[in-house]
Amino acid sequence: MTSVLMIGTGEYTTGFVYGKPSNSDKGAGVVALTMFDLRRRGKVNRLGLCGVNGNKFPGIRKHMKNVIADVYLGLDISVETYPADDVVDPKSYTTAIDNFPKGSVVIIFTPDDTHFEIAMHAIKRGLHVLITKPVVKTLEQHRELHLAAMENNVLVAVEVHKRWDPIYSDARDRIRQLGPFSYMYAYMSQPKHQLETFKSWAGVSSDISYYLNSHHIDFHEWVVGSSARPTSVTALASKGIAQSVYDMNCEDTITLTVQWENLSKDSSSGTDSIGDGTGSGGVTGLGTAVYTASWVAPKSDVHSQQRFFYMGQKGEVTVDQAHRGYSIADDAGGYKSANPLFMKYTPSDGKFAGQLGYGYRSFESFVEAVGLINAGAATPMDFDESLASIASTYRTTAILEAGRRSLDGKRTVEICYDDAIDPCRPSRLV
């Protein structure tokens, strides 16, 4: 079985933020809860949890007892913690990683500007790495991680759970039958009180585009495969609430307008049915995408608004991920649109029953892939299609970095391709 080290102790890992349970829809966390259940199922064994401030761990343990051990029958929440409870150490991840054997899994949920350094240390130690989106903030760092992963024969991937959403997964397969890409509009938001949760890094180490636009950009890259590539990015932003209400110097909302070009099959390395197959060996058309992300939405029936419209040259698809035709109203929480397809927190007969949730399956799929690699039954490259591997997600990183550069420089940023083997792999931004 595989050992797992979780790095980052915040909302998505434990559900514990600033000394209390998160007031989002993830009060019980996602990562740790999933790992405890995978251990119960015999898919992982040794578990570690690493942060910066050891003084938080007594509160985290109490919190996990309240929301996990006392809620679900048979879930063992024991976990090694780094650093010690009386130690504050920003480099504690090095000690934790060094204490786990080669072939272990490292799951990174930390501020965006820390991903590269933590992941590189794990890769060089021979550990497989799953990193929350965005994997890194620059194309150059993306390339360095990819090269290091190949050199050390480890699997490195991005945790983008929308790929396991049954609606998004089905939409991807249908879109691939709709001909070359023409237009996409995507919107994703979170309520403004999340700025309080993210106050330690929002506008300091990252922005809302890196945080939320990354979901739909990855989905778009996954959908088109090797049949299209982004060529330019122009970004615009809204400001006001974060500054005036929370005294944070960051954008409220960011919109990226991206020019894409469609490629004939002969010009790409894939055989995606989405292409037109003319065999002309070059650019066959253009498409436009608009991705918008915001963290100043009002409180509503859902924690996160998530929707997109996609138009191919032969048809279109519309998805409202936030509303699945399932609503709940009670005295405590009022009216809500529920989404147990992400994480099913309500126990069934006293037991955790969220194994089919796409938030859960994203981690389980990575752990299973690592198990096959460690057993010699597969190689990291075998998962470039089924997972959001470091090798297959260059375009998402290029768009996100170009968006940040566009905002900072108030100009359009071009994405260039110099790779003769893979014409869909971005080389540089200008």
Side-chain angles (χ1 to χ4, degrees):
M1 287 188 291
T2 305
S3 297
V4 178
L5 172 63
M6 298 167 278
I7 301 181
T9 63
E11 178 184 56
Y12 206 82
T13 300
T14 67
F16 194 70
V17 182
Y18 296 118
K20 59 184 179 181
S22 168
N23 59 2
S24 75
D25 59 344
K26 305 175 187 68
V30 177
V31 186
L33 173 57
T34 298
M35 292 304 123
F36 295 145
D37 190 65
L38 288 176
R39 180 170 60 186
R40 179 192 64 81
R41 295 172 61 199
K43 294 201 171 189
V44 303
N45 49 11
R46 179 184 173 193
L47 295 179
L49 180 61
C50 177
V52 171
N53 187 350
N55 295 293
K56 294 181 179 180
F57 283 126
I60 290 173
R61 295 187 194 101
K62 181 179 179 181
H63 167 74
M64 291 195 298
K65 180 181 182 299
N66 292 338
V67 301
I68 298 178
D70 291 348
V71 174
Y72 307 110
L73 295 175
L75 274 191
D76 173 16
I77 61 170
S78 61
V79 60
E80 300 172 29
T81 54
Y82 303 84
D85 288 6
D86 58 349
V87 174
V88 177
D89 181 9
K91 294 288 187 179
S92 62
Y93 67 86
T94 61
T95 301
I97 290 171
D98 293 349
N99 279 338
F100 274 72
K102 183 177 180 179
S104 298
V105 166
V106 173
I107 299 173
I108 300 173
F109 272 76
T110 59
D112 297 351
D113 60 347
T114 66
H115 293 177
F116 177 77
E117 187 176 2
I118 298 172
M120 186 62 81
H121 187 79
I123 291 168
K124 289 181 177 180
R125 291 282 299 174
L127 280 67
H128 306 280
V129 185
L130 182 63
I131 312 169
T132 185
K133 45 74 191 165
V135 59
V136 285
K137 294 176 64 180
T138 69
L139 193 56
E140 180 57 33
Q141 289 184 341
H142 192 120
R143 184 180 299 107
E144 289 185 40
L145 285 188
H146 182 204
L147 292 174
M150 290 192 295
E151 180 180 345
N152 291 275
N153 194 36
V154 296
L155 180 61
V156 178
V158 193
E159 199 286 309
V160 274
H161 45 262
K162 302 303 299 178
R163 293 191 179 205
W164 281 265
D165 183 330
I167 304 300
Y168 274 58
S169 177
D170 185 72
R172 180 254 193 180
D173 295 338
R174 291 176 185 268
I175 285 170
R176 287 195 156 201
Q177 306 303 316
L178 299 181
F181 169 60
S182 182
Y183 173 74
M184 181 175 180
Y185 163 75
Y187 174 75
M188 197 164 183
S189 72
Q190 290 196 350
K192 58 177 65 72
H193 67 75
Q194 281 293 96
L195 283 171
E196 184 68 26
T197 300
F198 303 145
K199 63 185 179 181
S200 66
W201 59 264
V204 179
S205 63
S206 194
D207 61 40
I208 185 56
S209 183
Y210 277 111
Y211 181 63
L212 285 186
N213 272 332
S214 48
H215 272 298
H216 282 118
I217 295 171
D218 171 77
F219 175 76
H220 194 175
E221 180 174 26
W222 184 44
V223 162
V224 299
S226 56
S227 71
R229 64 189 187 188
T231 58
S232 67
V233 179
T234 305
L236 294 171
S238 303
K239 287 187 174 183
I241 295 176
Q243 291 178 324
S244 63
V245 177
Y246 296 94
D247 194 28
M248 299 166 65
N249 184 27
C250 64
E251 298 87 0
D252 295 341
T253 304
I254 295 176
T255 295
L256 308 182
T257 301
V258 183
Q259 183 74 73
W260 286 72
E261 58 184 21
N262 295 316
L263 306 174
S264 69
K265 289 181 182 178
D266 287 359
S267 68
S268 63
S269 58
T271 57
D272 304 295
S273 60
I274 200 169
D276 66 359
T278 62
S280 59
V283 177
T284 63
L286 299 176
T288 304
V290 181
Y291 316 104
T292 296
S294 178
W295 45 21
V296 295
K299 186 177 182 180
S300 69
D301 60 322
V302 295
H303 178 71
S304 177
Q305 299 286 349
Q306 303 176 32
R307 53 184 178 266
F308 75 83
F309 170 82
Y310 182 100
M311 182 167 63
Q313 293 183 8
K314 297 179 182 178
E316 62 187 41
V317 171
T318 301
V319 171
D320 179 0
Q321 189 273 354
H323 301 95
R324 309 293 181 105
Y326 180 31
S327 60
I328 298 170
D330 60 28
D331 291 339
Y335 177 81
K336 295 179 181 179
S337 291
N339 181 19
L341 296 181
F342 169 61
M343 283 290 286
K344 184 183 183 304
Y345 287 109
T346 307
S348 293
D349 300 322
K351 298 178 181 179
F352 176 73
Q355 293 83 6
L356 297 181
Y358 58 84
Y360 184 107
R361 291 182 60 215
S362 176
F363 294 103
E364 182 181 27
S365 297
F366 188 83
V367 167
E368 290 176 343
V370 167
L372 291 172
I373 294 169
N374 288 344
T379 70
M381 289 181 61
D382 292 334
F383 300 96
D384 284 346
E385 292 295 327
S386 58
L387 300 178
S389 73
I390 192 72
S392 62
T393 51
Y394 273 80
R395 284 166 290 177
T396 295
T397 299
I399 290 172
L400 291 169
E401 182 188 0
R404 187 65 255 171
R405 287 197 190 187
S406 176
L407 284 175
D408 293 341
K410 297 180 174 59
R411 65 180 180 88
T412 296
V413 176
E414 306 290 333
I415 301 175
C416 302
Y417 297 84
D418 304 322
D419 192 320
I421 298 176
D422 185 355
C424 281
R425 179 169 295 171
S427 303
R428 53 196 170 87
L429 306 179
V430 296

